[in-house]
Amino acid sequence: MAENKKKSIKIEISLLNTVEQTNEYLNEILNQVDIARSDLSVSYEFSEQDLIEKLIIIFQSNEEAEKFKDYIEITENMERYKFKSVDISQCETELTRRFSTCSTDSFQFINEDKQTEYIEAIPGDCPSFNNMDEDNILPSLPNNSVHTNNILEFYFDKEIRDVDLDIILLFLENLRKSGGGEYVDYTLDSKKRLLNVEYKSHMNKIKVLNKRFLQVKIDSIEYNIIANEPLDIQSFKQNNMVIILRNIQDSWLRDEIINLYAENLVLNDDSSNDVAKIIKSLIFPNTVYVQYKHNFDLELLKKRYEKKNIINKIKIEYLQAFASKIVLVGLFDKNTKPISKDLIEMYFTNKRRSGSNPYLSIHEREPFLLLSYDSQENCEAICSKAHKIGEHELVVECLYNYELFENYIKEFSDSAKINLAEQVKIIENDEKKSEIKNFKEEENKDKEIVQSKDETLYKLIDKNNNQENKVDEKIEPNIEDKPIQDSKKMQEKNLQNMKVEKLEFKKPYFKIDSVKEPKIKLLKNFSYLSEYLAKQLNDVQSSLELNTLNDRLELNCECTHDLPSVLVEYKEVKKKWQIDIENLIKKFFEQFKIENIKIENPNEVLKNVQFDNSKVNLKKLDDLEQNSFYEIAGYDDDVDNLIIKIQEEENSVPLIVDQIEGLKLYQIRILFVVKYIRKLKEKYPNLQVVIKHKSLKISLKGRQKEIDDAKLLCTNILNKINYRDLALGQRETKFVANREVDVLNWLKEKNLECVLMADNDRHLVRMYYIDFEPAKTCKNEIESIIIVREISKELRQGISDEYTRNFIQMHSNDERVYLEEENDVIYLSGFKTNVEELFSEFIRNSL
């Protein structure tokens, strides 16, 4: 009886689209029908134009296949995803299968342990299936994802020095050392630790990924490198069950204020939806994640947020959440104690401890690790439980918004800002202490004055009473006249009391400086504002005085109306006056705004921007020609309008793409040596410059003036190049030709701005240079430091041929030395120390 073979469901979709768009549509459909990408197998057939013309999906579950087919066969979905037709059929799982006859499509095959692998053939990178052998088959990629580019992300354990970047790029395109090959382009981030390289061949990218952990040593500095697929933040889908709210006070969480606010954002539009839970961020300050029970209408939520976004005079900031499938893990615990990156990696690859399958990829953004998983649900499950390594309680959180994280990293790494904030805090604390001390001293003085006046008053009253008593003793009134006399005495006492000198208190005052309220600086920028404020203060019987204290501007107000002589009344008047003045000052400055803005090309932009100097002030904060920061201060609307004008003008400045062609290889290398790119970047940070030594040209992208200056600088450098031929000898020349990286490293170690190009036909090394002195030093040293040693047949007598072969094979790739066998003679050429050591090792180990 024939054995029943396991059946799978195959769905074939006809279309004509790019890999990126098809992959995006597929992920969207799987998310809608709640099917995990890891539960199915995907392959493509490509057209001659490298577009996908057939999408082939293998389902292990008939139920999932039917659910998928029912969803995409809806007419609206077919039109939306641009599908032409859908076919479903059964197929046997345990079969080697080729999906098409085109040499640029994908193949499925069964290996020896019956594990299914999908091979994604990239146009031009591999032969057809019929001609494939084991060496030509690309290894399957993690999670069978379709990678649509040849970009790799390299993360370095330390900052890349400018002088080392050229050598690192040579290393990354060295097939033997890194697995890489020719690259098309590269970008280095601002921290100089994250390098993205786009390879020309997909095969090179795969080989580098297989190695993953790389190491290169330059000038005694050792770089440890991790290669990863780059984070595709552009593909993050919108999460319609989570929102991010910022500027949230802790008391709001305790009093459930924010819970009520979050409910109101959706309940009035969808009575079935409600808040599932609110999670306070452990990383981002004053930030919470609100998770709803099901999807909400984003547009309705935004409208409700715009209508009500202020609680207790504090504006709530709303951010959109995305399903990034990324978990954020701190390289520190909840007590800010550092944790080893290796420990965290081991923990999250341990399913029993972490409670989840291992991550698909890991990316380091100091001081955090970004762990990538196959689904958002998996990420949220991981973040819902506590994670602990020994005594360290880990900081683990879903990454819902990459831009929020990116901005936080910039602030986190900016130690200067942190130090400045700490200094400001210390100044404010000192000022508060000083104000409290002054207030207490003032209050004590007031008490002393009142006590002194009271004592004087009591003495006068006692004296008057004594005098009245004496008069009474002499004149004895009639009994009938006594009430009248008592009344007269009371009137005299009251009159006497009124004649007592009035009590005087210190005038109430109010002061604030530009540290607490930066808008005070506007009073100095616009003199008419000072007059306007002084008039308003005068209406409430207060004076105005501006004082400059070091870098601060201080505003002082003093009460000008008469004060009562009774302490209780004085305190009431003083308190009311101070409250009125404080409210008046606050309301006055609310109509103004101070904003900092970065202008990429201020010289070109500001000459075309017109604004009213009497209402808004523009101040440059640095001396940079590009990416310069400006302070804009003035009336609220005028500041906003000026910012919009600047942004519109900046966007209108056209970017031009140009290139410098027809260069020689030695010219390209000279440009590297004299730091051509760095000189341009120092002056024009936004100018994109790429030196392509394979195609012997320089690519430029930027403003017209920037490109003109770049071409002029290149011409000036090339016009200064001189050369001299060095007759080093045949073997020495071969060493220079075959160990270019080692020679470049030696030149860098010696700080010699020269380029050495080998001419094997003439047994010469041509030295290119700009300055004569470095060239002279280079000539003298290169002639003495590169030597050749011969291991002749006579010298090898008594030494086995097997030992000689093993020796040559073992040291054929040694750095700073080159081995060559010719006519039974082994030639060792290279730097003197390395050649002597290798020669001695051969003789010593052969004995």
Side-chain angles (χ1 to χ4, degrees):
M1 186 176 180
E3 181 182 353
N4 290 330
K5 294 185 179 180
K6 187 177 179 180
K7 299 287 185 178
S8 298
I9 307 300
K10 179 173 72 172
I11 291 181
E12 296 184 2
I13 303 172
S14 298
L15 69 160
L16 191 64
N17 215 332
T18 63
V19 175
E20 295 92 338
Q21 191 66 62
T22 304
N23 203 31
E24 182 180 345
Y25 286 163
L26 178 59
N27 289 334
E28 183 178 335
I29 295 169
L30 294 175
N31 186 44
Q32 292 292 334
V33 298
D34 196 23
I35 299 175
R37 179 81 179 247
S38 57
D39 294 340
L40 45 87
S41 304
V42 181
S43 184
Y44 302 110
E45 287 186 10
F46 289 86
S47 67
E48 293 181 358
Q49 293 79 26
D50 294 337
L51 295 175
I52 294 176
E53 61 182 8
K54 185 172 287 186
L55 171 63
I56 304 168
I57 310 170
I58 307 297
F59 293 84
Q60 302 302 321
S61 164
N62 185 56
E63 181 182 353
E64 289 186 344
E66 289 293 333
K67 183 165 60 172
F68 182 91
K69 181 174 178 291
D70 290 342
Y71 180 82
I72 62 175
E73 282 187 337
I74 298 173
T75 304
E76 294 178 356
N77 292 338
M78 290 286 288
E79 294 176 355
R80 178 183 178 187
Y81 300 121
K82 302 176 183 177
F83 294 159
K84 297 179 180 178
S85 63
V86 179
D87 296 318
I88 185 169
S89 61
Q90 287 189 340
C91 61
E92 295 176 357
T93 303
E94 297 183 356
L95 287 177
T96 301
R97 186 182 295 104
R98 179 180 180 184
F99 284 130
S100 82
T101 57
C102 177
S103 65
T104 58
D105 47 44
S106 306
F107 307 93
Q108 178 191 6
F109 67 96
I110 309 299
N111 55 25
E112 293 179 358
D113 59 357
K114 296 186 178 180
Q115 295 295 317
T116 305
E117 293 184 358
Y118 284 85
I119 306 306
E120 297 166 7
I122 307 301
D125 278 358
C126 63
S128 66
F129 185 82
N130 294 329
N131 299 323
M132 279 190 174
D133 54 33
E134 288 186 1
D135 293 332
N136 285 329
I137 295 178
L138 298 176
S140 58
L141 299 175
N143 79 328
N144 294 330
S145 63
V146 177
H147 298 287
T148 59
N149 58 53
N150 297 330
I151 299 175
L152 273 183
E153 174 188 282
F154 295 94
Y155 191 87
F156 290 71
D157 64 338
K158 55 180 67 69
E159 183 177 324
I160 300 174
R161 300 187 305 174
D162 291 340
V163 295
D164 295 338
L165 180 59
D166 303 338
I167 302 301
I168 288 171
L169 290 171
L170 285 172
F171 169 81
L172 294 178
E173 69 175 353
N174 188 299
L175 179 64
R176 178 173 57 84
K177 294 189 176 182
S178 67
E182 182 180 353
Y183 65 86
V184 179
D185 199 358
Y186 73 90
T187 56
L188 182 64
D189 76 331
S190 57
K191 295 183 182 178
K192 299 186 178 180
R193 291 187 61 182
L194 189 65
L195 179 66
N196 285 293
V197 176
E198 182 180 1
Y199 285 102
K200 186 175 181 180
S201 167
H202 192 69
M203 177 70 78
N204 296 128
K205 173 179 175 178
I206 298 301
K207 287 182 178 180
V208 176
L209 275 177
N210 285 341
K211 289 194 174 186
R212 193 175 180 223
F213 298 99
L214 307 173
Q215 192 177 74
V216 60
K217 189 173 183 180
I218 305 173
D219 295 346
S220 74
I221 294 180
E222 189 175 86
Y223 293 95
N224 294 301
I225 313 168
I226 300 177
N228 270 318
E229 284 282 354
L231 275 176
D232 185 14
I233 61 176
Q234 302 299 326
S235 67
F236 293 167
K237 299 298 180 184
Q238 181 179 297
N239 190 333
N240 281 356
M241 290 181 66
V242 179
I243 62 171
I244 305 170
L245 299 178
R246 307 200 71 198
N247 298 335
I248 305 303
Q249 311 302 306
D250 288 341
S251 60
W252 296 356
L253 294 173
R254 291 193 299 269
D255 299 335
E256 293 193 342
I257 294 175
I258 202 63
N259 200 313
L260 178 62
Y261 178 81
E263 286 179 0
N264 289 348
L265 288 177
V266 297
L267 275 179
N268 292 331
D269 301 312
D270 183 359
S271 59
S272 65
N273 205 353
D274 198 358
V275 176
K277 57 182 173 180
I278 295 178
I279 303 170
K280 183 181 179 183
S281 173
L282 300 173
I283 297 171
F284 310 113
N286 301 327
T287 302
V288 297
Y289 308 116
V290 181
Q291 294 184 358
Y292 292 94
K293 290 183 179 179
H294 60 77
N295 288 338
F296 50 76
D297 188 321
L298 180 62
E299 295 303 320
L300 289 176
L301 186 144
K302 286 181 178 179
K303 288 179 181 178
R304 290 204 165 272
Y305 166 77
E306 293 296 334
K307 290 181 180 177
K308 181 65 177 177
N309 53 29
I310 296 177
I311 298 179
N312 295 341
K313 298 182 179 180
I314 297 176
K315 184 172 182 180
I316 298 174
E317 183 182 353
Y318 159 81
L319 292 177
Q320 194 170 334
F322 296 87
S324 67
K325 303 180 186 178
I326 291 174
V327 171
L328 200 57
V329 183
L331 290 170
F332 50 88
D333 64 11
K334 289 186 177 180
N335 296 320
T336 67
K337 293 181 179 178
I339 312 174
S340 166
K341 183 180 75 171
D342 296 331
L343 280 178
I344 294 175
E345 288 187 24
M346 286 190 290
Y347 177 88
F348 282 98
T349 52
N350 188 314
K351 185 175 181 180
R352 183 177 64 83
R353 288 180 176 269
S354 65
S356 171
N357 291 326
Y359 50 80
L360 301 179
S361 65
I362 184 169
H363 305 263
E364 186 172 355
R365 301 289 189 274
E366 193 176 20
F368 296 94
L369 293 178
L370 280 70
L371 310 183
S372 177
Y373 288 88
D374 58 352
S375 70
Q376 185 67 21
E377 293 74 19
N378 202 3
C379 294
E380 291 176 350
I382 292 169
C383 297
S384 64
K385 60 174 288 189
H387 299 274
K388 200 171 183 180
I389 302 177
E391 63 178 7
H392 298 289
E393 191 172 354
L394 301 183
V395 176
V396 181
E397 189 165 304
C398 282
L399 180 58
Y400 286 110
N401 189 299
Y402 190 85
E403 185 179 355
L404 172 64
F405 170 72
E406 201 169 35
N407 293 335
Y408 178 77
I409 286 294
K410 291 177 183 176
E411 295 172 1
F412 192 98
S413 61
D414 195 348
S415 57
K417 287 184 179 178
I418 295 172
N419 292 335
L420 178 61
E422 291 176 349
Q423 292 172 9
V424 170
K425 191 174 181 181
I426 291 170
I427 291 171
E428 290 180 350
N429 289 337
D430 290 341
E431 289 175 350
K432 286 180 180 177
K433 291 178 181 177
S434 176
E435 285 181 7
I436 293 171
K437 184 179 178 183
N438 292 337
F439 179 80
K440 288 183 176 179
E441 289 176 355
E442 179 187 338
E443 197 170 36
N444 291 334
K445 287 180 180 179
D446 291 343
K447 288 181 179 179
E448 290 174 3
I449 293 171
V450 172
Q451 187 176 1
S452 173
K453 298 299 182 182
D454 287 345
E455 289 175 358
T456 305
L457 178 61
Y458 291 138
K459 287 179 181 180
L460 289 170
I461 292 172
D462 289 341
K463 183 178 180 182
N464 291 335
N465 288 337
N466 291 334
Q467 291 176 351
E468 289 173 359
N469 290 335
K470 290 180 181 179
V471 172
D472 292 340
E473 290 175 0
K474 293 178 181 179
I475 304 171
E476 292 183 6
N478 295 326
I479 295 175
E480 294 178 358
D481 297 335
K482 189 156 187 181
I484 298 173
Q485 292 174 356
D486 289 340
S487 176
K488 287 182 178 180
K489 286 180 180 179
M490 290 296 296
Q491 290 177 2
E492 289 174 357
K493 285 183 180 180
N494 292 337
L495 184 61
Q496 187 68 37
N497 289 343
M498 291 175 65
K499 291 179 180 178
V500 176
E501 185 180 357
K502 287 186 179 180
L503 301 181
E504 292 183 2
F505 299 103
K506 186 176 181 180
K507 294 282 187 181
Y509 69 94
F510 172 84
K511 71 176 181 179
I512 188 171
D513 60 24
S514 55
V515 175
K516 294 180 181 177
E517 178 50 83
K519 296 177 186 177
I520 292 176
K521 293 184 291 185
L522 290 167
L523 301 177
K524 194 174 182 180
N525 296 338
F526 308 108
S527 58
Y528 71 89
L529 289 182
S530 299
E531 298 173 2
Y532 180 55
L533 178 59
K535 183 179 179 182
Q536 289 188 354
L537 290 171
N538 186 58
D539 293 340
V540 292
Q541 295 183 318
S542 174
S543 64
L544 172 64
E545 184 180 0
L546 288 175
N547 297 320
T548 303
L549 302 173
N550 297 326
D551 295 333
R552 293 183 296 161
L553 192 65
E554 187 178 81
L555 184 149
N556 292 297
C557 300
E558 187 176 79
C559 181
T560 57
H561 62 62
D562 295 334
L563 300 174
S565 59
V566 180
L567 180 62
V568 176
E569 295 178 3
Y570 166 76
K571 285 186 175 180
E572 290 179 357
V573 171
K574 177 181 178 181
K575 182 178 180 181
K576 183 179 183 305
W577 179 87
Q578 287 180 329
I579 291 173
D580 291 343
I581 294 299
E582 187 174 347
N583 290 336
L584 188 150
I585 297 292
K586 182 180 179 182
K587 187 176 180 180
F588 177 80
F589 284 116
E590 280 179 352
Q591 59 187 320
F592 303 104
K593 179 186 284 189
I594 297 178
E595 293 283 348
N596 288 345
I597 183 173
K598 184 174 75 171
I599 306 178
E600 292 185 0
N601 300 280
N603 294 333
E604 297 181 32
V605 170
L606 295 181
K607 66 182 181 182
N608 298 321
V609 175
Q610 303 295 326
F611 59 93
D612 189 348
N613 292 327
S614 64
K615 292 184 178 181
V616 64
N617 182 55
L618 187 65
K619 178 183 176 183
K620 191 171 185 179
L621 302 177
D622 52 49
D623 298 325
L624 302 176
E625 290 191 27
Q626 284 192 337
N627 294 334
S628 183
F629 280 91
Y630 283 77
E631 180 187 85
I632 304 177
Y635 283 95
D636 196 317
D637 292 341
D638 293 289
V639 170
D640 290 339
N641 291 336
L642 180 55
I643 291 175
I644 292 171
K645 286 181 181 179
I646 290 173
Q647 291 173 344
E648 289 176 348
E649 184 63 30
E650 189 135 52
N651 293 334
S652 68
V653 177
L655 287 177
I656 298 171
V657 178
D658 204 343
Q659 57 187 11
I660 304 173
E661 298 180 297
L663 299 175
K664 301 289 196 304
L665 182 58
Y666 76 86
Q667 293 175 325
I668 290 289
R669 292 188 175 176
I670 279 287
L671 292 173
F672 270 118
V673 166
V674 299
K675 308 299 180 293
Y676 171 70
I677 294 179
R678 188 173 71 180
K679 290 177 181 177
L680 286 174
K681 286 289 186 180
E682 286 174 353
K683 189 173 182 181
Y684 302 116
N686 300 324
L687 178 64
Q688 297 180 26
V689 187
V690 180
I691 297 180
K692 300 181 178 181
H693 66 274
K694 295 292 183 182
S695 54
L696 300 178
K697 63 182 180 181
I698 300 171
S699 295
L700 302 167
K701 184 177 181 181
R703 290 358 184 211
Q704 185 63 57
K705 183 180 183 305
E706 300 168 355
I707 291 178
D708 292 342
D709 286 357
K711 289 183 175 180
L712 180 61
L713 177 61
C714 178
T715 303
N716 291 340
I717 292 173
L718 298 183
N719 289 339
K720 295 178 183 178
I721 297 178
N722 298 302
Y723 70 88
R724 182 170 182 176
D725 291 330
L726 308 178
L728 297 183
Q730 179 183 358
R731 305 296 169 188
E732 291 87 340
T733 302
K734 283 189 175 182
F735 166 73
V736 174
N738 288 279
R739 292 292 183 266
E740 285 185 337
V741 174
D742 297 331
V743 174
L744 279 171
N745 276 332
W746 177 79
L747 290 169
K748 283 182 176 291
E749 290 171 4
K750 298 293 184 180
N751 294 320
L752 300 173
E753 293 188 348
C754 302
V755 171
L756 298 176
M757 303 288 292
D759 186 346
N760 288 323
D761 295 334
R762 298 193 299 160
H763 307 317
L764 294 173
V765 173
R766 176 162 288 184
M767 177 178 63
Y768 294 93
Y769 62 92
I770 291 178
D771 296 326
F772 176 73
E773 288 302 324
K776 183 179 177 182
T777 305
C778 178
K779 174 185 177 300
N780 295 335
E781 294 203 18
I782 202 74
E783 290 176 344
S784 61
I785 200 171
I786 296 180
I787 65 169
V788 179
R789 292 297 300 268
E790 299 179 4
I791 303 176
S792 62
K793 189 172 183 180
E794 291 77 12
L795 189 60
R796 301 199 308 273
Q797 285 185 358
I799 300 174
S800 67
D801 292 340
E802 183 180 0
Y803 170 78
T804 302
R805 286 194 302 272
N806 290 339
F807 178 82
I808 294 173
Q809 185 177 359
M810 185 183 302
H811 297 285
S812 60
N813 292 324
D814 281 9
E815 296 180 354
R816 302 174 77 92
V817 67
Y818 177 66
L819 273 74
E820 184 181 23
E821 186 177 10
E822 186 178 320
N823 299 328
D824 287 334
V825 179
I826 300 173
Y827 295 96
L828 307 179
S829 58
F831 292 109
K832 185 174 182 179
T833 304
N834 303 85
V835 170
E836 295 293 357
E837 286 178 358
L838 194 57
F839 182 79
S840 301
E841 180 183 338
F842 179 85
I843 301 300
R844 182 173 60 253
N845 293 339
S846 65
L847 299 177

